[in-house]
Amino acid sequence: TFGKLSNKWSALYSPDLFIQIVITGQLALLMLIEALDDILGVEVISANTDGVTIRCRRDTEREALDAVTLWEQTTGFEMERADYAGLYSRDVNNYIAVKTNGEVKTKGAYGTGLPLHKNPSAQICSKAVIDYLTLDASIDGTIAACQDIRQFVCIRTVKGGAIHHGVPIGKIIRWYYSTEEKEAILYKVNNHLVPETYGAMPAVVLPEAIPANLDRAWYVKEAYSLLTDLGVAV
């Protein structure tokens, strides 16, 4: 219901409550961060609206947990804990987190298996990065071995519709990057460039097999770019 508080079309619309929740949550988290960072010297890696990621020495873990417990008692909030074996982060909304049990959590540009309301974008690149970090697999090898065209496609909603070589291709467009295509997809209404579509081959009907003109080199380059953005030397 929280999101409905700021939706003026909702019966739950209440901007004052929305602001109270946001400010209360932010101030409460800052209180915890102060206790961990300024008082205990625990390194705060990142924080968002409802959580904080920290790194501490094993001999100070008990003190850090005690600080969290005291914070919970003071605020009435309750924290959930997740332990990471590794965290590779571009920023707070784009990261790969490897839990100690081997489970991988991703967000933003590094997400895979996104919900239906999201637009997938060359997910093989994220998979190649994840496998590189967790399995020591080759970026090039992962992309070369993939035979699922769905991992290579990008989807975007284009307001007013899109055209390719002057031919309308609809409002919801799907494409893959091709070695035979040098032009871009354009907005139908003004012929402006649809972002990131140079070399894009429309795939209104999803191919049953990997097209012969699939530009795997583009995906390799993109995967290495995603890896570099995480600060990982390659």
Side-chain angles (χ1 to χ4, degrees):
T1 60
F2 170 68
K4 296 296 183 181
L5 296 177
S6 63
N7 181 359
K8 66 179 180 180
W9 306 112
S10 172
L12 298 178
Y13 180 56
S14 180
D16 55 332
L17 288 179
F18 178 84
I19 292 298
Q20 287 180 37
I21 292 172
V22 170
I23 297 300
T24 300
Q26 290 176 342
L27 291 177
L29 270 182
L30 285 172
M31 185 170 70
L32 175 60
I33 290 170
E34 181 183 34
L36 292 169
D37 184 44
D38 292 349
I39 299 175
L40 296 179
V42 172
E43 182 181 1
V44 175
I45 303 297
S46 66
N48 56 19
T49 54
D50 60 356
V52 58
T53 302
I54 65 171
R55 178 168 57 188
C56 67
R57 293 164 49 92
R58 294 187 185 276
D59 58 7
T60 61
E61 181 179 1
R62 184 68 265 166
E63 292 179 276
L65 293 178
D66 288 343
V68 173
T69 299
L70 178 61
W71 177 85
E72 290 176 325
Q73 295 171 347
T74 303
T75 63
F77 294 133
E78 183 177 347
M79 280 289 189
E80 296 178 352
R81 173 177 172 173
D83 291 325
Y84 295 153
L87 176 63
Y88 308 90
S89 176
R90 188 175 79 185
D91 52 56
V92 72
N93 289 315
N94 297 275
Y95 61 79
I96 298 171
V98 184
K99 296 184 179 181
T100 51
N101 62 4
E103 180 183 344
V104 178
K105 178 183 178 182
T106 60
K107 188 174 182 181
Y110 301 90
T112 59
L114 294 172
L116 293 177
H117 67 278
K118 298 289 186 179
N119 290 336
S121 179
Q123 293 188 345
I124 186 60
C125 299
S126 296
K127 183 179 187 306
V129 171
I130 293 169
D131 288 355
Y132 176 86
L133 295 173
T134 60
L135 304 174
D136 198 27
S138 162
I139 294 284
D140 303 61
T142 299
I143 293 175
C146 183
Q147 297 299 315
D148 185 355
I149 186 60
R150 295 172 299 178
Q151 294 293 314
F152 293 92
V153 297
C154 303
I155 298 176
R156 181 188 293 269
T157 301
V158 179
K159 187 175 181 180
I163 57 175
H164 184 251
H165 291 300
V167 179
I169 57 174
K171 293 182 179 180
I172 300 177
I173 60 173
R174 177 170 53 201
W175 73 87
Y176 64 90
Y177 291 95
S178 167
T179 56
E180 298 177 357
E181 182 56 64
K182 303 303 179 185
E183 299 299 322
I185 298 173
L186 305 176
Y187 282 90
K188 183 179 179 181
V189 294
N190 54 19
N191 280 333
H192 287 178
L193 171 72
V194 175
E196 301 178 354
T197 60
Y198 273 113
M201 178 68 74
V204 179
V205 177
L206 191 67
E208 294 184 2
I210 295 291
N213 61 3
L214 178 69
D215 188 0
R216 291 184 187 267
W218 184 95
Y219 297 92
V220 170
K221 182 179 179 181
E222 178 66 14
Y224 276 111
S225 177
L226 290 174
L227 194 59
T228 302
D229 286 346
L230 294 175
V232 178
V234 292

